[in-house]
Amino acid sequence: MKKQFPIEAFGNLQTPFYYYDMDILTETLNSIVEEANKYNYYVHYAVKANANPRILSAISRAKFGADCVSGGEILAALEAGFPEEKIVFAGVGKADWEIELGLDKNISCFNVESIPELKIIDQIAAAKGKIAKVAIRINPEVDAHTHSHITTGTREDKFGINFEQIDQVINTLDSISSVKLTGIHFHIGSQITEMESFATLSIKAVEIERYLTQRRVFLENINFGGGLGIDYKSPDENPLPDFKAWFEIFRKNFPTRPGRKIHFEPGRSLVGQCGSLISKVLYVKEGSFKSFAILDAGFTDLIRPTLYGAGHKIENLSSDEVQDIYDVVGPVCESSDCFARAVKLNKVHRGDYLALRSAGAYGESMAMQYNCRSLPKSYFSDTIQNLKI
Ligand SMILES: *Cc1c(COP(=O)(O)O)cnc(C)c1O
């Protein structure tokens, strides 16, 4: 079944642009809230997946927290209405100004990824006469079985502190006085579809917490990060990620305890399915060997296929003629500017609208201006009909 797009309303809009279905976003948010509430789990949205102001404010209005990975994201989250006590700040390379910003804005937690960072946060907090609340990001050495560019929890990765160094971390914490350890943090990768990886993570977390308790380190927060995958192949059949199964894994393997909060930081799974990149076909180039559909969108608008070989379902919204086979490419002067090879599409003509589906996460937020191209605009299902052009 094809999803219905309001093509009449696309008429005068400059392509390419992002189109967000706000009903899907709302349904997704409702679904995760319902599942999280069953176990009293706390959900922070990973802002990097999509920092479009309208998307951010919809998520902040639904009372989520925000997981930020830069000073700019902290400012964007505050601007969108996320309260400072629900903002956490992760990332391997926090600049001094970003740490200062986090302290000045009284964010709830710095997720610390190295011992040198811990010491710098202590120094900066001391200079301000503040106490920084921190969680230690531990590398649990769990292989998420996802693309190597989006796996983050093995010892080969730059993220987090390896467990062998935990005694060193505890000693460092004992020697500094302007940070307070409140929890531990994990994030093992993205677009994870094998639930087994999350089970392994929760079992590791039990062991880590047990060790810390022996060392008389008591945790208020356990943060399991994000990473839940979405169905890129069948967005219409599976518009909602399986939040129920995700949380049940943790519920089964990781005990809840009074006074200790369990957090999650989904990005992709909240916003991936609500967005599509809408593009027009500029040319159909038919060779003897293959046919190219050349779009006005390129990797500057949606880089996931180029960056990780990711696949997006592509639909021709303007044609229901017999299908043909195309390589779907963009106009950018790089051979890697290709969205898909040898895909079946209803016969393509110049001027047809093509939708690249499931593009709500890591689409608009990764757009760039290479070739002096403009950044793609965004339109929303609930307001597009009222646009006066
Ligand atoms: C990117 C990231 C997330 C979100 O990952 P998704 O796969 O989009 O759910 C969560 N936490 C941290 C620390 C991240 O870097």
Side-chain angles (χ1 to χ4, degrees), residues 250-279:
F250 289 94
R251 175 61 174 189
K252 211 167 104 197
N253 296 294
F254 193 83
T256 46
R257 215 168 271 152
R260 161 152 98 10
K261 294 178 180 165
I262 298 177
H263 300 254
F264 293 87
E265 301 168 335
R268 182 191 314 275
S269 55
L270 296 195
V271 295
Q273 297 291 27
C274 73
S276 296
L277 178 63
I278 306 294
S279 173

PDB file of all heavy atoms in Angstrom, residues 250-279:
ATOM      1  N   PHE A 250      14.854  -4.883  28.962  1.00  0.00           N
ATOM      2  CA  PHE A 250      15.533  -4.286  30.120  1.00  0.00           C
ATOM      3  C   PHE A 250      14.801  -4.653  31.405  1.00  0.00           C
ATOM      4  O   PHE A 250      15.428  -4.945  32.420  1.00  0.00           O
ATOM      5  CB  PHE A 250      15.648  -2.767  29.939  1.00  0.00           C
ATOM      6  CG  PHE A 250      16.631  -2.393  28.870  1.00  0.00           C
ATOM      7  CD1 PHE A 250      16.222  -2.171  27.559  1.00  0.00           C
ATOM      8  CD2 PHE A 250      17.990  -2.326  29.156  1.00  0.00           C
ATOM      9  CE1 PHE A 250      17.140  -1.861  26.561  1.00  0.00           C
ATOM     10  CE2 PHE A 250      18.923  -2.022  28.169  1.00  0.00           C
ATOM     11  CZ  PHE A 250      18.495  -1.785  26.870  1.00  0.00           C
ATOM     12  N   ARG A 251      13.481  -4.644  31.307  1.00  0.00           N
ATOM     13  CA  ARG A 251      12.682  -4.991  32.470  1.00  0.00           C
ATOM     14  C   ARG A 251      13.039  -6.400  32.974  1.00  0.00           C
ATOM     15  O   ARG A 251      13.152  -6.649  34.171  1.00  0.00           O
ATOM     16  CB  ARG A 251      11.196  -4.922  32.081  1.00  0.00           C
ATOM     17  CG  ARG A 251      10.254  -5.364  33.159  1.00  0.00           C
ATOM     18  CD  ARG A 251      10.426  -4.477  34.350  1.00  0.00           C
ATOM     19  NE  ARG A 251       9.450  -4.762  35.371  1.00  0.00           N
ATOM     20  CZ  ARG A 251       9.278  -4.004  36.435  1.00  0.00           C
ATOM     21  NH1 ARG A 251      10.024  -2.933  36.610  1.00  0.00           N
ATOM     22  NH2 ARG A 251       8.389  -4.322  37.334  1.00  0.00           N
ATOM     23  N   LYS A 252      13.229  -7.287  32.012  1.00  0.00           N
ATOM     24  CA  LYS A 252      13.501  -8.675  32.347  1.00  0.00           C
ATOM     25  C   LYS A 252      14.911  -8.867  32.926  1.00  0.00           C
ATOM     26  O   LYS A 252      15.125  -9.683  33.813  1.00  0.00           O
ATOM     27  CB  LYS A 252      13.367  -9.528  31.069  1.00  0.00           C
ATOM     28  CG  LYS A 252      12.892 -10.935  31.342  1.00  0.00           C
ATOM     29  CD  LYS A 252      12.476 -11.617  30.047  1.00  0.00           C
ATOM     30  CE  LYS A 252      13.548 -12.591  29.617  1.00  0.00           C
ATOM     31  NZ  LYS A 252      13.445 -12.990  28.208  1.00  0.00           N
ATOM     32  N   ASN A 253      15.856  -8.103  32.413  1.00  0.00           N
ATOM     33  CA  ASN A 253      17.262  -8.365  32.753  1.00  0.00           C
ATOM     34  C   ASN A 253      17.884  -7.380  33.725  1.00  0.00           C
ATOM     35  O   ASN A 253      18.989  -7.610  34.204  1.00  0.00           O
ATOM     36  CB  ASN A 253      18.106  -8.380  31.473  1.00  0.00           C
ATOM     37  CG  ASN A 253      17.701  -9.513  30.553  1.00  0.00           C
ATOM     38  OD1 ASN A 253      17.883 -10.673  30.882  1.00  0.00           O
ATOM     39  ND2 ASN A 253      17.111  -9.166  29.425  1.00  0.00           N
ATOM     40  N   PHE A 254      17.208  -6.249  33.956  1.00  0.00           N
ATOM     41  CA  PHE A 254      17.823  -5.247  34.825  1.00  0.00           C
ATOM     42  C   PHE A 254      16.816  -4.827  35.896  1.00  0.00           C
ATOM     43  O   PHE A 254      15.752  -4.301  35.572  1.00  0.00           O
ATOM     44  CB  PHE A 254      18.275  -4.029  34.006  1.00  0.00           C
ATOM     45  CG  PHE A 254      19.168  -3.118  34.778  1.00  0.00           C
ATOM     46  CD1 PHE A 254      20.528  -3.382  34.885  1.00  0.00           C
ATOM     47  CD2 PHE A 254      18.650  -2.022  35.442  1.00  0.00           C
ATOM     48  CE1 PHE A 254      21.356  -2.561  35.628  1.00  0.00           C
ATOM     49  CE2 PHE A 254      19.470  -1.191  36.193  1.00  0.00           C
ATOM     50  CZ  PHE A 254      20.833  -1.473  36.280  1.00  0.00           C
ATOM     51  N   PRO A 255      17.143  -5.064  37.176  1.00  0.00           N
ATOM     52  CA  PRO A 255      16.146  -4.818  38.225  1.00  0.00           C
ATOM     53  C   PRO A 255      15.883  -3.323  38.433  1.00  0.00           C
ATOM     54  O   PRO A 255      16.789  -2.505  38.277  1.00  0.00           O
ATOM     55  CB  PRO A 255      16.812  -5.409  39.477  1.00  0.00           C
ATOM     56  CG  PRO A 255      18.272  -5.375  39.194  1.00  0.00           C
ATOM     57  CD  PRO A 255      18.424  -5.538  37.718  1.00  0.00           C
ATOM     58  N   THR A 256      14.639  -2.990  38.764  1.00  0.00           N
ATOM     59  CA  THR A 256      14.359  -1.610  39.188  1.00  0.00           C
ATOM     60  C   THR A 256      14.555  -1.559  40.697  1.00  0.00           C
ATOM     61  O   THR A 256      14.454  -2.565  41.382  1.00  0.00           O
ATOM     62  CB  THR A 256      12.908  -1.191  38.871  1.00  0.00           C
ATOM     63  OG1 THR A 256      12.047  -2.246  39.287  1.00  0.00           O
ATOM     64  CG2 THR A 256      12.717  -0.950  37.405  1.00  0.00           C
ATOM     65  N   ARG A 257      14.868  -0.393  41.179  1.00  0.00           N
ATOM     66  CA  ARG A 257      15.117  -0.237  42.599  1.00  0.00           C
ATOM     67  C   ARG A 257      14.617   1.141  43.009  1.00  0.00           C
ATOM     68  O   ARG A 257      14.808   2.089  42.245  1.00  0.00           O
ATOM     69  CB  ARG A 257      16.634  -0.317  42.830  1.00  0.00           C
ATOM     70  CG  ARG A 257      17.004  -0.985  44.113  1.00  0.00           C
ATOM     71  CD  ARG A 257      18.482  -1.295  44.141  1.00  0.00           C
ATOM     72  NE  ARG A 257      18.819  -2.593  43.586  1.00  0.00           N
ATOM     73  CZ  ARG A 257      19.996  -2.878  43.022  1.00  0.00           C
ATOM     74  NH1 ARG A 257      20.916  -1.959  42.912  1.00  0.00           N
ATOM     75  NH2 ARG A 257      20.238  -4.086  42.585  1.00  0.00           N
ATOM     76  N   PRO A 258      14.001   1.249  44.175  1.00  0.00           N
ATOM     77  CA  PRO A 258      13.505   2.572  44.582  1.00  0.00           C
ATOM     78  C   PRO A 258      14.661   3.571  44.643  1.00  0.00           C
ATOM     79  O   PRO A 258      15.758   3.225  45.070  1.00  0.00           O
ATOM     80  CB  PRO A 258      12.925   2.335  45.983  1.00  0.00           C
ATOM     81  CG  PRO A 258      12.902   0.867  46.202  1.00  0.00           C
ATOM     82  CD  PRO A 258      13.761   0.208  45.191  1.00  0.00           C
ATOM     83  N   GLY A 259      14.417   4.783  44.180  1.00  0.00           N
ATOM     84  CA  GLY A 259      15.442   5.824  44.262  1.00  0.00           C
ATOM     85  C   GLY A 259      16.465   5.762  43.147  1.00  0.00           C
ATOM     86  O   GLY A 259      17.358   6.594  43.073  1.00  0.00           O
ATOM     87  N   ARG A 260      16.355   4.777  42.275  1.00  0.00           N
ATOM     88  CA  ARG A 260      17.302   4.699  41.157  1.00  0.00           C
ATOM     89  C   ARG A 260      16.509   4.759  39.860  1.00  0.00           C
ATOM     90  O   ARG A 260      15.600   3.984  39.630  1.00  0.00           O
ATOM     91  CB  ARG A 260      18.104   3.406  41.258  1.00  0.00           C
ATOM     92  CG  ARG A 260      18.753   3.028  39.949  1.00  0.00           C
ATOM     93  CD  ARG A 260      19.962   2.263  40.093  1.00  0.00           C
ATOM     94  NE  ARG A 260      19.948   0.808  39.963  1.00  0.00           N
ATOM     95  CZ  ARG A 260      19.005  -0.015  39.545  1.00  0.00           C
ATOM     96  NH1 ARG A 260      17.801   0.414  39.225  1.00  0.00           N
ATOM     97  NH2 ARG A 260      19.217  -1.300  39.461  1.00  0.00           N
ATOM     98  N   LYS A 261      16.835   5.761  39.027  1.00  0.00           N
ATOM     99  CA  LYS A 261      16.053   5.973  37.799  1.00  0.00           C
ATOM    100  C   LYS A 261      16.720   5.312  36.604  1.00  0.00           C
ATOM    101  O   LYS A 261      17.939   5.336  36.480  1.00  0.00           O
ATOM    102  CB  LYS A 261      15.938   7.473  37.510  1.00  0.00           C
ATOM    103  CG  LYS A 261      15.132   8.233  38.543  1.00  0.00           C
ATOM    104  CD  LYS A 261      15.118   9.707  38.193  1.00  0.00           C
ATOM    105  CE  LYS A 261      14.323  10.484  39.230  1.00  0.00           C
ATOM    106  NZ  LYS A 261      14.592  11.931  39.117  1.00  0.00           N
ATOM    107  N   ILE A 262      15.896   4.784  35.719  1.00  0.00           N
ATOM    108  CA  ILE A 262      16.406   4.157  34.500  1.00  0.00           C
ATOM    109  C   ILE A 262      16.014   5.031  33.298  1.00  0.00           C
ATOM    110  O   ILE A 262      14.842   5.382  33.135  1.00  0.00           O
ATOM    111  CB  ILE A 262      15.864   2.719  34.359  1.00  0.00           C
ATOM    112  CG1 ILE A 262      16.365   1.888  35.552  1.00  0.00           C
ATOM    113  CG2 ILE A 262      16.287   2.100  33.034  1.00  0.00           C
ATOM    114  CD1 ILE A 262      15.852   0.467  35.600  1.00  0.00           C
ATOM    115  N   HIS A 263      17.032   5.401  32.527  1.00  0.00           N
ATOM    116  CA  HIS A 263      16.828   6.338  31.411  1.00  0.00           C
ATOM    117  C   HIS A 263      17.128   5.679  30.060  1.00  0.00           C
ATOM    118  O   HIS A 263      17.960   4.785  29.982  1.00  0.00           O
ATOM    119  CB  HIS A 263      17.789   7.525  31.527  1.00  0.00           C
ATOM    120  CG  HIS A 263      17.654   8.319  32.769  1.00  0.00           C
ATOM    121  ND1 HIS A 263      17.086   9.564  32.803  1.00  0.00           N
ATOM    122  CD2 HIS A 263      18.026   8.055  34.040  1.00  0.00           C
ATOM    123  CE1 HIS A 263      17.113  10.033  34.034  1.00  0.00           C
ATOM    124  NE2 HIS A 263      17.677   9.141  34.817  1.00  0.00           N
ATOM    125  N   PHE A 264      16.468   6.209  29.036  1.00  0.00           N
ATOM    126  CA  PHE A 264      16.745   5.823  27.653  1.00  0.00           C
ATOM    127  C   PHE A 264      16.877   7.081  26.807  1.00  0.00           C
ATOM    128  O   PHE A 264      16.294   8.109  27.147  1.00  0.00           O
ATOM    129  CB  PHE A 264      15.623   4.938  27.092  1.00  0.00           C
ATOM    130  CG  PHE A 264      15.565   3.601  27.781  1.00  0.00           C
ATOM    131  CD1 PHE A 264      14.829   3.438  28.951  1.00  0.00           C
ATOM    132  CD2 PHE A 264      16.271   2.522  27.281  1.00  0.00           C
ATOM    133  CE1 PHE A 264      14.802   2.220  29.610  1.00  0.00           C
ATOM    134  CE2 PHE A 264      16.244   1.296  27.932  1.00  0.00           C
ATOM    135  CZ  PHE A 264      15.517   1.141  29.099  1.00  0.00           C
ATOM    136  N   GLU A 265      17.619   6.960  25.709  1.00  0.00           N
ATOM    137  CA  GLU A 265      17.848   8.123  24.843  1.00  0.00           C
ATOM    138  C   GLU A 265      17.620   7.795  23.381  1.00  0.00           C
ATOM    139  O   GLU A 265      18.555   7.826  22.574  1.00  0.00           O
ATOM    140  CB  GLU A 265      19.308   8.584  24.952  1.00  0.00           C
ATOM    141  CG  GLU A 265      19.772   8.962  26.299  1.00  0.00           C
ATOM    142  CD  GLU A 265      21.292   9.125  26.333  1.00  0.00           C
ATOM    143  OE1 GLU A 265      22.012   8.528  25.507  1.00  0.00           O
ATOM    144  OE2 GLU A 265      21.739   9.869  27.207  1.00  0.00           O
ATOM    145  N   PRO A 266      16.407   7.486  22.983  1.00  0.00           N
ATOM    146  CA  PRO A 266      16.175   7.173  21.572  1.00  0.00           C
ATOM    147  C   PRO A 266      16.201   8.434  20.703  1.00  0.00           C
ATOM    148  O   PRO A 266      15.737   9.495  21.122  1.00  0.00           O
ATOM    149  CB  PRO A 266      14.773   6.569  21.569  1.00  0.00           C
ATOM    150  CG  PRO A 266      14.109   7.185  22.763  1.00  0.00           C
ATOM    151  CD  PRO A 266      15.181   7.408  23.783  1.00  0.00           C
ATOM    152  N   GLY A 267      16.764   8.298  19.522  1.00  0.00           N
ATOM    153  CA  GLY A 267      16.736   9.394  18.550  1.00  0.00           C
ATOM    154  C   GLY A 267      15.982   8.927  17.323  1.00  0.00           C
ATOM    155  O   GLY A 267      14.812   9.252  17.101  1.00  0.00           O
ATOM    156  N   ARG A 268      16.653   8.075  16.552  1.00  0.00           N
ATOM    157  CA  ARG A 268      16.092   7.561  15.308  1.00  0.00           C
ATOM    158  C   ARG A 268      14.673   7.012  15.466  1.00  0.00           C
ATOM    159  O   ARG A 268      13.795   7.296  14.651  1.00  0.00           O
ATOM    160  CB  ARG A 268      16.998   6.433  14.795  1.00  0.00           C
ATOM    161  CG  ARG A 268      16.549   5.832  13.478  1.00  0.00           C
ATOM    162  CD  ARG A 268      17.345   4.549  13.198  1.00  0.00           C
ATOM    163  NE  ARG A 268      18.758   4.723  13.430  1.00  0.00           N
ATOM    164  CZ  ARG A 268      19.613   5.205  12.533  1.00  0.00           C
ATOM    165  NH1 ARG A 268      19.203   5.544  11.341  1.00  0.00           N
ATOM    166  NH2 ARG A 268      20.892   5.339  12.837  1.00  0.00           N
ATOM    167  N   SER A 269      14.455   6.207  16.516  1.00  0.00           N
ATOM    168  CA  SER A 269      13.166   5.521  16.620  1.00  0.00           C
ATOM    169  C   SER A 269      12.013   6.495  16.890  1.00  0.00           C
ATOM    170  O   SER A 269      10.863   6.164  16.616  1.00  0.00           O
ATOM    171  CB  SER A 269      13.223   4.432  17.698  1.00  0.00           C
ATOM    172  OG  SER A 269      13.643   4.983  18.929  1.00  0.00           O
ATOM    173  N   LEU A 270      12.301   7.702  17.395  1.00  0.00           N
ATOM    174  CA  LEU A 270      11.209   8.662  17.616  1.00  0.00           C
ATOM    175  C   LEU A 270      10.847   9.437  16.356  1.00  0.00           C
ATOM    176  O   LEU A 270       9.695   9.792  16.159  1.00  0.00           O
ATOM    177  CB  LEU A 270      11.587   9.672  18.715  1.00  0.00           C
ATOM    178  CG  LEU A 270      11.808   9.130  20.128  1.00  0.00           C
ATOM    179  CD1 LEU A 270      11.809  10.274  21.132  1.00  0.00           C
ATOM    180  CD2 LEU A 270      10.747   8.114  20.501  1.00  0.00           C
ATOM    181  N   VAL A 271      11.836   9.742  15.518  1.00  0.00           N
ATOM    182  CA  VAL A 271      11.571  10.665  14.409  1.00  0.00           C
ATOM    183  C   VAL A 271      11.791  10.086  13.011  1.00  0.00           C
ATOM    184  O   VAL A 271      11.434  10.721  12.022  1.00  0.00           O
ATOM    185  CB  VAL A 271      12.435  11.946  14.548  1.00  0.00           C
ATOM    186  CG1 VAL A 271      12.021  12.726  15.794  1.00  0.00           C
ATOM    187  CG2 VAL A 271      13.927  11.627  14.599  1.00  0.00           C
ATOM    188  N   GLY A 272      12.367   8.878  12.937  1.00  0.00           N
ATOM    189  CA  GLY A 272      12.732   8.345  11.624  1.00  0.00           C
ATOM    190  C   GLY A 272      11.563   8.225  10.663  1.00  0.00           C
ATOM    191  O   GLY A 272      11.635   8.681   9.519  1.00  0.00           O
ATOM    192  N   GLN A 273      10.478   7.624  11.134  1.00  0.00           N
ATOM    193  CA  GLN A 273       9.389   7.308  10.195  1.00  0.00           C
ATOM    194  C   GLN A 273       8.489   8.499   9.865  1.00  0.00           C
ATOM    195  O   GLN A 273       7.695   8.420   8.926  1.00  0.00           O
ATOM    196  CB  GLN A 273       8.525   6.157  10.738  1.00  0.00           C
ATOM    197  CG  GLN A 273       9.256   4.823  10.911  1.00  0.00           C
ATOM    198  CD  GLN A 273       9.661   4.157   9.599  1.00  0.00           C
ATOM    199  OE1 GLN A 273       9.865   4.822   8.578  1.00  0.00           O
ATOM    200  NE2 GLN A 273       9.811   2.839   9.626  1.00  0.00           N
ATOM    201  N   CYS A 274       8.563   9.575  10.587  1.00  0.00           N
ATOM    202  CA  CYS A 274       7.638  10.689  10.293  1.00  0.00           C
ATOM    203  C   CYS A 274       8.120  11.545   9.127  1.00  0.00           C
ATOM    204  O   CYS A 274       7.366  12.336   8.584  1.00  0.00           O
ATOM    205  CB  CYS A 274       7.372  11.542  11.539  1.00  0.00           C
ATOM    206  SG  CYS A 274       8.748  12.593  12.032  1.00  0.00           S
ATOM    207  N   GLY A 275       9.396  11.383   8.716  1.00  0.00           N
ATOM    208  CA  GLY A 275       9.929  12.286   7.694  1.00  0.00           C
ATOM    209  C   GLY A 275      10.186  11.616   6.368  1.00  0.00           C
ATOM    210  O   GLY A 275      10.579  10.450   6.313  1.00  0.00           O
ATOM    211  N   SER A 276       9.944  12.360   5.284  1.00  0.00           N
ATOM    212  CA  SER A 276      10.332  11.899   3.949  1.00  0.00           C
ATOM    213  C   SER A 276      11.038  13.050   3.253  1.00  0.00           C
ATOM    214  O   SER A 276      10.683  14.212   3.460  1.00  0.00           O
ATOM    215  CB  SER A 276       9.112  11.539   3.097  1.00  0.00           C
ATOM    216  OG  SER A 276       8.410  10.457   3.651  1.00  0.00           O
ATOM    217  N   LEU A 277      12.009  12.715   2.443  1.00  0.00           N
ATOM    218  CA  LEU A 277      12.615  13.743   1.594  1.00  0.00           C
ATOM    219  C   LEU A 277      11.872  13.705   0.261  1.00  0.00           C
ATOM    220  O   LEU A 277      11.792  12.655  -0.379  1.00  0.00           O
ATOM    221  CB  LEU A 277      14.111  13.460   1.397  1.00  0.00           C
ATOM    222  CG  LEU A 277      14.831  14.454   0.486  1.00  0.00           C
ATOM    223  CD1 LEU A 277      14.829  15.873   1.057  1.00  0.00           C
ATOM    224  CD2 LEU A 277      16.273  13.999   0.236  1.00  0.00           C
ATOM    225  N   ILE A 278      11.311  14.837  -0.108  1.00  0.00           N
ATOM    226  CA  ILE A 278      10.547  14.913  -1.359  1.00  0.00           C
ATOM    227  C   ILE A 278      11.417  15.611  -2.404  1.00  0.00           C
ATOM    228  O   ILE A 278      11.943  16.703  -2.166  1.00  0.00           O
ATOM    229  CB  ILE A 278       9.241  15.728  -1.167  1.00  0.00           C
ATOM    230  CG1 ILE A 278       8.404  15.157  -0.009  1.00  0.00           C
ATOM    231  CG2 ILE A 278       8.451  15.777  -2.468  1.00  0.00           C
ATOM    232  CD1 ILE A 278       7.847  13.773  -0.226  1.00  0.00           C
ATOM    233  N   SER A 279      11.530  14.960  -3.549  1.00  0.00           N
ATOM    234  CA  SER A 279      12.412  15.465  -4.587  1.00  0.00           C
ATOM    235  C   SER A 279      11.713  15.357  -5.933  1.00  0.00           C
ATOM    236  O   SER A 279      10.795  14.557  -6.102  1.00  0.00           O
ATOM    237  CB  SER A 279      13.677  14.600  -4.579  1.00  0.00           C
ATOM    238  OG  SER A 279      14.508  14.924  -5.645  1.00  0.00           O
TER     239      SER A 279
END
